[in-house]
């Protein structure tokens, strides 16, 4: 009843936050739209950056000057969408142009079947890494038990026999599968190629420096008052398209970074490389020791932890200093930014696509 009474008395909070789409409109149009939105009872807007032709450029700052001027006069709150492309993670193209080593990296498992015995055999594996920057990090063999199951007791690291794209190895008797493990920038969803690696804090920092810090430099006095914070839209691993993929049900590349093997060693008693094929093939009951310590949701807990560090802790630290929240369509990273004044936490809705 109290809420009804507050609404009838004009004391209600703001309950709607529309996207205010930006295309580079003239000043009168921007001011007119702010007036019309408030006239319907709307007290906050999210400035939608992605259609704008000059995000974080001169024309963007001109338009933001106008919007914030209207917001101050009307005591409205302003949220800012934090990238120039969907989803968040493009970093206004800075990853592609200036930091290509910080783009999303993946683990790809290339599989080949052979029948033995074969003495003095050679196996061509170089085509598992056909793209620029691809790197073979290991070659593992295992005896097959049926079409898509291997005997985990036979898993053997044969990386030492790799020379110039060929593996020279005496293949034992029986049907065997050779797994070539490749670190690559390719194989994920096309929509986010060249996006920042979401499990590397230095990559997230590029977005912070390019977008968040740029707005702070222009509007420091407005943060925590007129500017409520930033809106992040579905940042993701991007290792496959869609929200329904899970390890063991779909072929997919997996999130990776340069030091992943070292990070996994404490979790698997130092034995990492030999077990990696079990992420892409059935190992029977013995395969329950799958690497990366899979979470019950089907995602590697180590990746979830790294994602949290990069997509929560880096922006979290920035937000505490700069008095801002982050409102975003996120799940695992729902607590993105907090403010310096230790105001309530971040609002997160939607989901993260893995």
């Amino acid at each position: 009843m109290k809420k009804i009474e507050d609404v009838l008395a004009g004391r209600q909070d703001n309950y709607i936050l529309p996207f205010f789409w930006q295309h580079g409109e003239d000043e009168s149009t921007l001011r007119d739209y702010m007036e019309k939105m408030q006239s319907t009872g709307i007290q906050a807007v999210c400035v939608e950056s992605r259609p704008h032709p000059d995000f974080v450029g001169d024309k963007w700052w001109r338009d933001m000057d106008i919007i914030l001027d209207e917001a101050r006069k009307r005591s409205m709150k302003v949220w800012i969408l934090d990238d120039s492309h969907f989803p968040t993670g493009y970093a206004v193209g800075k990853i592609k142009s200036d930091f290509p080593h910080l783009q999303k990296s993946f683990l790809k498992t290339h599989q080949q079947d052979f029948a033995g015995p074969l003495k003095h055999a050679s196996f061509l594996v170089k085509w598992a890494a056909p793209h620029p920057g691809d790197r073979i990090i290991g070659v593992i063999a295992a005896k097959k038990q049926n079409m898509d199951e291997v005997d985990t007791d036979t898993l053997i690291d044969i990386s030492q026999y790799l020379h110039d794209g060929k593996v020279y190895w005496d293949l034992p008797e029986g049907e065997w599968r050779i797994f070539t493990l490749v670190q690559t920038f390719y194989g994920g969803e096309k929509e986010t190629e060249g996006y920042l690696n979401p499990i590397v804090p230095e990559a997230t920092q590029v977005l912070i420096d390019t977008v968040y810090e740029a707005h702070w430099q222009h509007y420091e006095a407005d943060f925590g008052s007129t500017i409520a914070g930033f809106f992040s839209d579905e940042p993701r691993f991007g290792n496959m398209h869609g929200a329904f993929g899970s390890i063991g049900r779909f072929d997919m590349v997996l999130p990776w970074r340069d030091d992943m093997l070292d990070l996994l060693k404490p979790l698997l008693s130092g034995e990492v490389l030999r077990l990696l094929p079990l992420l892409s093939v059935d190992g029977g009951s013995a395969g329950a020791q799958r690497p990366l310590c899979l979470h019950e949701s089907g995602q590697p807990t180590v990746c979830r932890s790294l994602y949290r560090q990069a997509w929560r802790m880096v922006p979290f630290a920035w937000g505490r200093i700069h008095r801002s929240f982050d409102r975003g369509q996120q799940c695992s990273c729902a607590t993105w930014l907090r403010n310096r004044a230790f105001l309530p936490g971040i609002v997160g809705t939607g989901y993260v696509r893995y």
Side-chain angles (χ1 to χ4, degrees):
M1 188 65 186
K2 183 179 184 304
K3 287 186 178 180
I4 295 176
E5 292 174 350
D6 287 344
V7 170
L8 292 175
R11 296 191 298 265
Q12 75 274 13
D13 292 330
N14 183 65
Y15 298 114
I16 188 170
L17 183 72
F19 280 151
F20 187 8
W21 294 82
Q22 298 301 304
H23 309 85
E25 286 81 4
D26 59 70
E27 179 175 352
S28 62
T29 298
L30 295 175
R31 293 187 184 277
D32 181 55
Y33 269 65
M34 290 290 284
E35 187 278 325
K36 281 182 166 55
M37 283 187 282
Q38 189 179 52
S39 70
T40 66
I42 295 171
Q43 299 299 327
V45 299
C46 181
V47 182
E48 169 56 274
S49 59
R50 292 172 296 200
H52 198 281
D54 192 29
F55 182 53
V56 298
D58 291 342
K59 183 159 179 52
W60 172 259
W61 302 125
R62 187 218 67 142
D63 294 349
M64 283 300 299
D65 288 348
I66 296 166
I67 292 169
L68 288 172
D69 181 57
E70 284 294 316
R72 293 185 205 102
K73 291 190 295 187
R74 300 176 181 281
S75 298
M76 295 175 70
K77 296 291 185 182
V78 173
W79 297 82
I80 303 165
L81 208 140
D82 66 354
D83 215 336
S84 60
H85 285 276
F86 172 83
T88 294
Y90 183 63
V92 202
K94 285 291 184 180
I95 296 295
K96 277 187 174 181
S97 63
D98 297 352
F99 305 96
H101 62 290
L102 294 177
Q103 64 183 302
K104 292 182 304 175
S105 183
F106 303 112
L107 172 68
K108 180 181 78 170
T109 304
H110 184 265
Q111 305 180 41
Q112 298 168 282
D113 289 348
F114 301 93
L118 291 173
K119 296 289 289 185
H120 310 297
S122 64
F123 307 92
L124 187 65
V125 299
K126 69 176 183 180
W127 300 117
H131 302 290
D134 284 358
R135 183 169 65 90
I136 295 176
I137 62 174
V139 183
I140 310 298
K143 192 172 185 178
K144 295 177 61 177
Q145 296 196 136
N146 56 48
M147 180 63 70
D148 286 307
E149 184 177 329
V150 299
D151 180 355
T152 57
D153 290 334
T154 66
L155 284 164
I156 180 173
D157 184 354
I158 56 174
S159 306
Q160 61 183 310
Y161 306 116
L162 173 65
H163 301 285
D164 297 325
K166 291 183 180 180
V167 174
Y168 299 90
W169 181 55
D170 291 339
L171 184 70
E173 183 177 354
E175 296 185 24
W176 288 76
R177 181 164 294 181
I178 292 180
F179 302 88
T180 306
L181 307 170
V182 180
Q183 181 174 345
T184 181
F185 294 127
Y186 301 89
E189 63 174 0
K190 291 291 184 182
E191 293 80 0
T192 56
E193 280 188 358
Y195 274 50
L196 63 84
N197 192 335
I199 57 175
V200 174
E202 293 81 5
T204 308
Q205 189 64 48
V206 175
L207 176 68
I208 296 296
D209 293 341
T210 303
V211 177
Y212 290 59
E213 194 62 33
H215 282 83
W216 172 263
Q217 294 300 323
H218 279 81
Y219 307 115
E220 176 179 347
D222 289 305
F223 275 80
S225 54
T226 303
I227 295 178
F230 294 95
F231 187 103
S232 294
D233 201 356
E234 299 183 22
R236 61 189 70 175
F237 287 132
N239 56 306
M240 73 171 292
H241 188 66
F244 304 105
S246 57
I247 296 173
R249 295 193 181 97
F250 298 91
D251 289 332
M252 66 176 78
V253 292
L254 296 173
W256 200 255
R257 51 186 261 180
D258 291 344
D259 60 348
M260 187 69 85
L261 291 175
D262 291 332
L263 294 174
L264 292 171
K265 284 179 181 177
L267 304 176
L268 292 164
S269 302
E271 187 179 38
V272 179
L273 198 62
R274 192 179 69 87
L275 296 177
L276 285 180
L278 295 178
L279 286 168
S280 56
V281 69
D282 191 354
S285 59
Q289 59 175 328
R290 279 189 175 188
L292 304 196
C293 305
L294 296 183
H295 192 269
E296 66 274 9
S297 68
Q299 286 302 318
T301 54
V302 67
C303 283
R304 293 173 73 90
S305 176
L306 293 172
Y307 187 91
R308 178 181 180 274
Q309 292 173 29
W311 274 108
R312 285 181 64 182
M313 303 315 294
V314 172
F316 174 89
W318 188 93
R320 288 182 63 182
I321 296 171
H322 296 82
R323 306 187 300 273
S324 76
F325 300 105
D326 177 88
R327 177 188 295 269
Q329 292 191 0
Q330 305 174 67
C331 180
S332 297
C333 51
T335 315
W336 227 50
L337 295 179
R338 294 180 187 269
N339 54 27
R340 276 182 182 166
F342 298 98
L343 296 174
I346 292 109
V347 177
T349 61
Y351 53 90
V352 172
R353 290 182 178 173
Y354 298 112

